[in-house]
Amino acid sequence: MRKWIETTGRSEEDAIAAALFQLGLDRDDVSVEVIERAKSGFLGFGGNPAKVRVSYEVPGEDEEPSSPAPEKAPEPAAPKAEPVPEKKAEPVSPAPQAEKKAEPAPREDANRLQPGDEVLIGREETNAPKGMDGQPLELAPAGDPKAARIREFLAGLMEHLQVEAVPDIYVSENGYKVILQGRGLGAIIGRRGETLDAIQQLTNYAVNHGQSKRVRIHIDAEGYRAKREESLQRLAVKVAGKVVKYRKNMTLEPMNAYERHVIHAALQDYPNVTTYSTGVEPNRRTVVAYAPGQK
């Protein structure tokens, strides 16, 4: 069965990347239709975002859009004549029992749909990053001056960029970890997280400027970095399989230092494969090379 989703981003590529992250698919597994092209504003913000429709195949589902067919079936007069003799059986008890059974059903559905517990649980998972020891980090105390400065700077920056996002600030082993929560955060993530990296650098500079003791501030938006890391790991294994199969080196697209590190780490124990980087920033790439006997 063919399904599709619509996503937005600062550019067409950003919108496509956002859809691929949500679906967990590769570019070759989907088809893309550009609905609206991006119109840039001041420094890439304030304009109209790009909007794309990404279609993908779901082999396990056989749902067909023929649902209106059964609705046309009760139109003939024949089935209407059948319930006429059944009117004699109206006083029978099954009729009220059906009504009684219908009552708890909507109550259960209402209990599942009305409360926002399920949504809140998902947010708590994203809002509870873990430290190096695997334990959840704690929110920064209300009186923390560094946390207050981080919140003030990001609130002003988000307002200037016309993005509705709220920072949740946690205390980590070597500084602070900030999770930006909101809607339509594709504009502050950017292509492969480039805009998010720029916001992180600006925040570190603004908070540490003129301070004798510097702190490290790590910024993420709704778990984007974790999703990106998982996507790169899948890409690395997929490319390594092709390298071993065809015994031919493959060069990946340009990546920043962190993304290249993820590729190297994912394939460091992959048999018959080695990795190295080539080129100059910002076009430095990772090469996945065939190396027989490499462990």
Side-chain angles (χ1 to χ4, degrees), residues 1-3 56-62:
M1 179 180 179
R2 197 77 176 171
K3 290 189 175 182
Y56 59 99
E57 193 71 24
V58 182
E61 299 184 5
D62 298 331

Side-chain angles (χ1 to χ4, degrees), residues 154-204:
L154 288 176
L157 182 60
M158 294 300 105
E159 182 180 358
H160 178 74
L161 300 180
Q162 299 181 356
V163 175
E164 295 182 1
V166 178
D168 292 337
I169 306 174
Y170 297 83
V171 180
S172 63
E173 298 85 348
N174 54 355
Y176 296 87
K177 186 163 187 177
V178 182
I179 305 296
L180 294 173
Q181 299 287 0
R183 293 184 178 180
L185 298 184
I188 63 173
I189 292 176
R191 185 170 180 266
R192 293 199 303 271
E194 293 175 353
T195 306
L196 191 62
D197 291 339
I199 292 175
Q200 179 172 293
Q201 293 177 4
L202 287 173
T203 305
N204 275 274

Side-chain angles (χ1 to χ4, degrees), residues 80-93:
K80 294 181 180 179
E82 294 179 359
V84 176
E86 294 179 358
K87 291 181 180 179
K88 300 178 181 179
E90 288 179 359
V92 182
S93 58

